[in-house]
Amino acid sequence: YQWEMLPMNNKILPSGSKFIFEPHIALENKLPCMHHVNLMHSVGIGNIHENIELLYIISGKGDILCDDTIYNVQKGDVIVIDSYMMHQVRPDEEIELHCIIINRDFCKANNINTSKLHFVQKIQNDTLRNLLDTLIIEYSMDHNFKQAGIKCALLNIVLFLCRNFSEEKNSAKPISESAFHYVRMSTNYIKENL
């Protein structure tokens, strides 16, 4: 699904911003996450999806839009994108980042329902960075136990985030009646009913 935002008096989402729904079909393989490195020189297309996503900044500076909040980011920052949160990367000049998309079914299989959790969006934490570095190393290695290594590293990350940087959505701040809320509701409805 793809849609274009209508003109609005809104500095957060300029008129004509494009957003897409990402189904993450590639996550149906044996690995519990997708990992890739992005080097961006211009504003990316915004997106929304049911899986949580981690953006780990390698170099550069910029902004990352998460629903109606803009986070200024630089090397070492980690952004956690909640399930069904609209987001968009906006580099100042250039930004390089690790993108880790965590399969929601992997979390559910470990009794962690990420769709009911709200995570702190911007995190600056050495323990989290070390856990992410371990996952990235496991992902890049080619050995007999790669799948097990990735699962173990990823579960450590998810548990660390849940224990230290999350709250249940029921106890989180009330959902605003913003355009983001309606897009999230509409996307979820389309996904479940079409």
Side-chain angles (χ1 to χ4, degrees):
Y1 311 104
Q2 181 174 337
W3 64 91
E4 196 164 318
M5 296 303 285
L6 299 174
M8 343 167 57
N9 281 333
N10 190 337
K11 292 181 182 178
I12 292 173
L13 255 188
S15 175
S17 291
K18 294 187 181 205
F19 284 80
I20 60 171
F21 176 78
E22 292 182 332
H24 294 151
I25 295 168
L27 282 174
E28 294 175 2
N29 65 19
K30 295 180 182 177
L31 297 178
C33 65
M34 291 187 329
H35 169 256
H36 58 274
V37 176
N38 284 350
L39 178 61
M40 302 178 73
H41 301 281
S42 60
V43 175
I45 292 177
N47 59 79
I48 186 171
H49 43 75
E50 69 180 349
N51 299 300
I52 61 171
E53 179 175 349
L54 308 177
L55 302 175
Y56 179 21
I57 312 305
I58 301 169
S59 65
K61 296 189 295 186
D63 294 325
I64 297 179
L65 171 71
C66 297
D67 276 350
D68 57 356
T69 304
I70 296 174
Y71 297 95
N72 186 268
V73 295
Q74 61 187 356
K75 180 180 179 176
D77 289 343
V78 178
I79 296 291
V80 181
I81 311 294
D82 285 343
S83 179
Y84 292 107
M85 177 175 274
M86 291 177 61
H87 54 284
Q88 182 180 51
V89 178
R90 301 171 176 179
D92 284 349
E93 291 180 17
E94 177 179 284
I95 193 166
E96 187 174 15
L97 52 84
H98 289 280
C99 176
I100 299 162
I101 299 169
I102 303 170
N103 189 329
R104 195 172 126 207
D105 292 336
F106 169 77
C107 295
K108 280 184 174 181
N110 288 285
N111 295 319
I112 301 168
N113 189 348
T114 56
S115 64
K116 292 188 177 184
L117 294 174
H118 169 70
F119 292 94
V120 172
Q121 261 60 73
K122 183 177 177 180
I123 302 172
Q124 298 169 317
N125 181 281
D126 287 335
T127 302
L128 179 58
R129 284 189 282 266
N130 290 336
L131 290 169
L132 287 166
D133 289 340
T134 299
L135 174 66
I136 292 161
I137 290 167
E138 288 290 343
Y139 215 97
S140 67
M141 295 176 71
D142 192 23
H143 56 78
N144 292 338
F145 306 106
K146 179 176 182 168
Q147 186 177 351
I150 290 172
K151 285 181 179 181
C152 181
L154 188 62
L155 187 55
N156 281 328
I157 291 168
V158 173
L159 282 172
F160 182 76
L161 288 171
C162 288
R163 289 177 174 158
N164 298 286
F165 296 101
S166 75
E167 62 185 357
E168 287 190 32
K169 283 191 178 174
N170 294 343
S171 62
K173 61 183 178 184
I175 296 173
S176 68
E177 295 299 317
S178 68
F180 303 103
H181 171 69
Y182 292 113
V183 168
R184 213 173 11 259
M185 284 177 27
S186 300
T187 304
N188 198 29
Y189 178 83
I190 291 168
K191 183 183 171 298
E192 290 177 3
N193 294 289
L194 295 181

